[in-house]
Amino acid sequence: MITLYCKANCIQCKKTKLFLDAHRIPYIEKNIEEKEEFREEVKLYGFQSVPVLIPNASTGLNPWFGFHPDELRKLKQKCSSQPPDTTTEMHFITIDRYFLK
């Protein structure tokens, strides 16, 4: 499962979530404004700003921060070959005009 650290009113966070949702990539969203614990987790990964995306180990991708379409496309390719994880709440919406390449 992918973990996305974000906060409200963050344009890069919104773009990252739009991409994940448009491509039906499941993720866990952790808003750093809601819990101090989430802010501390971001710091433990060595980041100081959001969005921070932590791919699951099976993708072979490293964590990153910011909106990076190239990394998101790599993630999409890796996730399309994996069965969906149905054990956690997933964020899915259909967005037919964003990132549908």
Side-chain angles (χ1 to χ4, degrees), residues 63-101:
W64 72 83
F65 76 97
F67 175 68
H68 294 283
D70 55 332
E71 292 297 320
L72 288 165
R73 284 196 267 303
K74 289 179 196 174
L75 179 65
K76 176 188 162 201
Q77 288 177 333
K78 299 283 185 175
C79 290
S80 65
S81 63
Q82 298 175 14
D85 179 356
T86 58
T87 60
T88 59
E89 179 181 349
M90 293 184 229
H91 298 259
F92 291 131
I93 60 172
T94 302
I95 301 173
D96 59 0
R97 58 189 171 156
Y98 292 103
F99 313 113
L100 293 179
K101 292 184 179 179

Side-chain angles (χ1 to χ4, degrees), residues 29-44:
E29 181 177 344
K30 293 187 175 184
N31 187 323
I32 65 167
E33 295 173 319
E34 293 175 0
K35 291 188 177 181
E36 178 65 29
E37 169 187 343
F38 296 159
R39 284 190 290 276
E40 292 303 316
E41 289 174 16
V42 167
K43 290 178 186 176
L44 286 173

Side-chain angles (χ1 to χ4, degrees), residues 23-62:
H23 294 289
R24 300 183 56 85
I25 300 171
Y27 61 96
I28 298 170
E29 181 177 344
K30 293 187 175 184
N31 187 323
I32 65 167
E33 295 173 319
E34 293 175 0
K35 291 188 177 181
E36 178 65 29
E37 169 187 343
F38 296 159
R39 284 190 290 276
E40 292 303 316
E41 289 174 16
V42 167
K43 290 178 186 176
L44 286 173
Y45 281 110
F47 298 107
Q48 296 181 13
S49 62
V50 291
V52 172
L53 196 137
I54 311 296
N56 54 353
S58 65
T59 65
L61 299 173
N62 294 321

Side-chain angles (χ1 to χ4, degrees), residues 3 46 66:
T3 303

